[in-house]
Amino acid sequence: MQLVHTCYRITDPERSTAFYEALGLEKRRELPIRDEAMNYFFGVPGHENPELELTYNFGVDSYELGTAYGHIALTVSDMGETLEKLAAQGIEPERTPYSIREGGSLLCFVRDPDQYRIELIERSDD
């Protein structure tokens, strides 16, 4: 078994594409769903499978996020550098990066254009 991707719905493909590319994901392909919607697939560079599917349903302007959705998480090698690059594109963290416990990884959250939360976790390559 292999987890192939996660999917959620978006309201502005251009803004969402710019956001996820700013995070470092690469757009892999677009796939129309009849005349109802368009899927956009993104993945981590160097990994074969798409990990994120964004669905744009034509004619839908908003969605209720609900209380069940949490977040997706991405690792970054340098939190400061990552946040600096994101800030240059108008993407700010919810709050200053922090650790859950002493000696734990540094983390923070950003929100995509549809207000989905994305957790950034600093992990060194060693």
Side-chain angles (χ1 to χ4, degrees), residues 8-19:
Y8 49 81
R9 290 163 177 78
I10 58 172
T11 58
D12 187 329
E14 288 181 23
R15 286 180 55 210
S16 292
T17 294
F19 177 85

Side-chain angles (χ1 to χ4, degrees), residues 9-95:
R9 290 163 177 78
I10 58 172
T11 58
D12 187 329
E14 288 181 23
R15 286 180 55 210
S16 292
T17 294
F19 177 85
Y20 287 100
E21 286 178 342
L23 288 178
L25 296 179
E26 59 187 16
K27 186 174 172 184
R28 300 281 171 77
R29 68 182 196 276
E30 298 178 11
L31 180 66
I33 303 172
R34 295 174 295 282
D35 59 354
E36 302 168 20
M38 180 69 77
N39 280 343
Y40 300 87
F41 292 90
F42 293 81
V44 173
H47 288 67
E48 184 178 335
N49 291 328
E51 286 87 17
L52 181 60
E53 173 186 334
L54 304 179
T55 300
Y56 175 64
N57 291 297
F58 304 132
V60 178
D61 296 330
S62 65
Y63 295 97
E64 294 292 324
L65 294 185
T67 57
Y69 174 78
H71 62 272
I72 62 171
L74 301 171
T75 59
V76 300
S77 59
D78 184 310
M79 184 68 73
E81 180 182 317
T82 298
L83 292 179
E84 196 174 293
K85 287 179 183 176
L86 294 175
Q89 297 186 54
I91 301 166
E92 297 291 335
E94 291 180 353
R95 65 180 241 199

Side-chain angles (χ1 to χ4, degrees), residues 105-119:
S105 297
L106 194 60
L107 63 94
C108 75
F109 287 85
V110 295
R111 289 188 182 258
D112 86 349
D114 291 291
Q115 299 305 303
Y116 292 106
R117 295 179 82 213
I118 312 300
E119 181 180 12

